[in-house]
Amino acid sequence: DPLYEYGPKRFFCAGDAPAEVAERRHAGFMRLAEIYQSKFAKTNQVTDEIRTDVSDLQFTDFKRVPFQFSGFVRKHLIFGGFLESSSGVTVTDLDGNILYDLAASYGVNVFGYDFYKETIERGMQRAHALGPVLGEYHMAVRYNVRRLKEISGLDEVSFHMSGTEAIMQAVRLARYHTGRSHLVKFSGAYHGWWGDVQPGVGNPVPAHETYTLIEMSEDSLRVLRTRRDIACVLINPAQALQPNGNVAPDSAQDSAPVSKAETGSAHIDRAAYADWLRRLRAVCTERKIVLIFDEVFVGFHLALGGAQEYFGVRADLVTYGKTIAGGLPVGVVCGRHDLMKRFRDHRPLDVCFARGTFNSHPYVMATMREFLERIEAPDVQELYKDMEAVWDRRTDQFNQRMRDEGV
């Protein structure tokens, strides 16, 4: 509705700001727009050349800020979509501007971009002799399976090409082995863009076999105890940041597990959330419901053993993605023997189908091996030592600097 979109006057008066504040907002915004036009000229020019040809660019531009502000922002504050290089925690655009990557490539960049460049380069070298042969495995798979079993504490592993695919397979396995139809997700939690885990905005078709419940609620536990059609429960441990709220920004998720309460939304009440997971685990065990931890994002952010280690609760199936392949696209499912089996011994047509042309791609598997080897190194292990105290101290220092600067 164009009447809902803010024009210049309402834009700067948002929140019933007085005229003086609105004028300062307007002056500051236009000053920032001028800086963007000059500072990011080449990056914006190249982006504009393809903007109308790439739907992802159009979508992110449209959704970058709340709708009522979107039109004015898109007109005056132009964002580019190209980068030229990366180093550590920074990226460099086509104009030579060095920027901090607070989103960490959607959670992939846990250890700094140089770490992943080296991992990918060594993985390419390791896989070069076999090349892009698909169907049979590269030798790296043997090592990866062993390490993933150790990390997850589970019995078997399957490889996929994205976190969304891993979730699809985990849910399909749960339905196959329980004979039940419905999955449970919790309000606000993100589990990829597959229809069954996205029952609201963004999915043009209703999700008929999905229950969306309230997290950390006794009513939800009662539903799990009483319904007979629930195959599995999906947990995204990142929701510990703000249970039942919208998905936290990537930058908040990267630092939140060790942030203090005064940082607002970027805070985890570890004890309370762990207690919730223990109660959920008990109900799932009692009702023979498969408990799935979606660690596509939080895996290796919270601890080397992920959310299972951090909260002290074991899942039946765990999915991984993002960082675990050393910077290349991947999805992983780890699970118990009885849940991972995809066929019945005496019923040849009763199978749980899951295929993908590029699953276990040699270059991905070789790079994953490099990643899994490198995180065993003493310098990486040291990063996890006293992690909460380290980041609490950094948070205090940052907050004090902001107070000193009057921000």
Side-chain angles (χ1 to χ4, degrees), residues 355-401:
R355 296 291 295 170
T357 300
F358 292 103
N359 290 356
S360 305
H361 192 287
Y363 287 95
V364 175
M365 292 296 101
T367 303
M368 180 185 290
R369 171 167 183 164
E370 294 295 333
F371 174 85
L372 293 173
E373 285 183 341
R374 292 199 65 183
I375 63 173
E376 292 189 85
D379 60 328
V380 175
Q381 298 279 328
E382 188 69 20
L383 294 174
Y384 289 92
K385 185 179 179 180
D386 299 324
M387 184 171 65
E388 296 196 12
V390 169
W391 279 97
D392 279 347
R393 184 168 64 252
R394 291 176 178 176
T395 300
D396 288 339
Q397 292 170 348
F398 178 81
N399 289 340
Q400 186 58 52
R401 178 70 181 274

Side-chain angles (χ1 to χ4, degrees), residues 83-99:
L83 295 171
E84 192 161 83
S85 63
S86 65
S87 178
V89 296
T90 66
V91 293
T92 303
D93 68 8
L94 307 187
D95 296 275
N97 298 302
I98 299 175
L99 311 165

Side-chain angles (χ1 to χ4, degrees), residues 148-154 277-278 280-282 284-285 290-293 295 305-318 320 336:
L148 287 166
K149 288 171 59 179
E150 293 170 352
I151 290 167
S152 68
L154 292 163
L277 291 179
R278 283 192 291 271
L280 186 64
R281 170 72 277 178
C284 287
T285 301
V290 179
L291 180 60
I292 303 172
F293 274 18
E295 298 218 36
Q308 292 191 107
E309 176 185 332
Y310 187 77
F311 292 110
V313 177
R314 311 304 296 183
D316 302 308
L317 296 172
V318 180
Y320 299 101
R336 298 183 345 225

Side-chain angles (χ1 to χ4, degrees), residues 49 77 82 101 140 175 193 210 219 226 302 305 323 331 344 362 371:
E49 291 175 6
L77 205 60
F82 283 89
D101 180 17
R175 287 170 166 165
W193 59 274
T210 302
D219 287 339
T226 54
L302 297 171
T323 196
R344 315 280 190 205
F371 174 85

Side-chain angles (χ1 to χ4, degrees), residues 4-20:
Y4 185 62
E5 187 173 356
Y6 288 177
K9 184 176 180 179
R10 293 181 68 194
F11 187 100
F12 295 107
C13 291
D16 297 322
E20 178 187 353

Side-chain angles (χ1 to χ4, degrees), residues 266-278:
H267 167 67
I268 288 178
D269 187 334
R270 184 175 180 179
Y273 199 74
D275 179 66
W276 158 248
L277 291 179
R278 283 192 291 271

Side-chain angles (χ1 to χ4, degrees), residues 86-321:
S86 65
S87 178
V89 296
T90 66
V91 293
T92 303
D93 68 8
L94 307 187
D95 296 275
N97 298 302
I98 299 175
L99 311 165
Y100 284 101
D101 180 17
L102 298 181
S105 287
Y106 304 107
V108 173
N109 182 15
V110 179
F111 300 110
Y113 285 116
D114 296 329
F115 176 100
Y116 295 93
K117 288 180 183 178
E118 294 170 7
T119 299
I120 291 171
E121 183 177 357
R122 292 169 63 175
M124 297 301 102
Q125 294 170 357
R126 184 186 288 272
H128 180 74
L130 180 60
V133 174
L134 304 173
E136 283 68 39
Y137 292 133
H138 187 278
M139 278 292 292
V141 169
R142 181 175 65 172
Y143 177 86
N144 295 345
V145 168
R146 177 177 66 80
R147 287 290 291 123
L148 287 166
K149 288 171 59 179
E150 293 170 352
I151 290 167
S152 68
L154 292 163
D155 306 319
E156 292 189 24
V157 180
S158 67
F159 297 104
H160 309 273
M161 283 306 295
S162 71
T164 292
E165 288 186 24
I167 286 293
M168 292 169 67
Q169 173 65 354
V171 171
R172 177 171 281 192
L173 285 167
R175 287 170 166 165
Y176 179 66
H177 287 290
T178 63
R180 303 170 188 168
S181 58
H182 281 62
L183 67 89
V184 164
K185 66 180 291 291
F186 291 102
S187 179
Y190 182 75
H191 298 285
W193 59 274
W194 172 45
D196 278 20
V197 294
Q198 193 177 32
V201 175
N203 183 1
V205 180
H208 295 292
E209 281 79 41
T210 302
Y211 296 130
T212 302
L213 302 183
I214 300 172
E215 196 158 22
M216 303 184 76
S217 166
E218 288 297 329
D219 287 339
S220 296
L221 296 180
R222 178 179 54 79
V223 171
L224 295 176
R225 286 192 181 100
T226 54
R227 292 206 64 89
R228 299 181 179 180
D229 56 354
I230 297 173
C232 60
V233 173
L234 283 167
I235 282 287
N236 183 343
Q239 287 304 108
L241 284 168
Q242 43 189 14
N244 305 303
N246 291 330
V247 180
D250 293 312
S251 54
Q253 294 184 42
D254 284 330
S255 60
V258 288
S259 297
K260 288 190 171 182
E262 59 263 29
T263 60
S265 63
H267 167 67
I268 288 178
D269 187 334
R270 184 175 180 179
Y273 199 74
D275 179 66
W276 158 248
L277 291 179
R278 283 192 291 271
R279 288 185 290 146
L280 186 64
R281 170 72 277 178
V283 172
C284 287
T285 301
E286 173 192 335
R287 300 294 296 165
K288 294 182 171 55
I289 297 170
V290 179
L291 180 60
I292 303 172
F293 274 18
D294 177 358
E295 298 218 36
V296 170
F297 186 95
V298 299
F300 306 98
H301 285 72
L302 297 171
L304 282 169
Q308 292 191 107
E309 176 185 332
Y310 187 77
F311 292 110
V313 177
R314 311 304 296 183
D316 302 308
L317 296 172
V318 180
T319 61
Y320 299 101

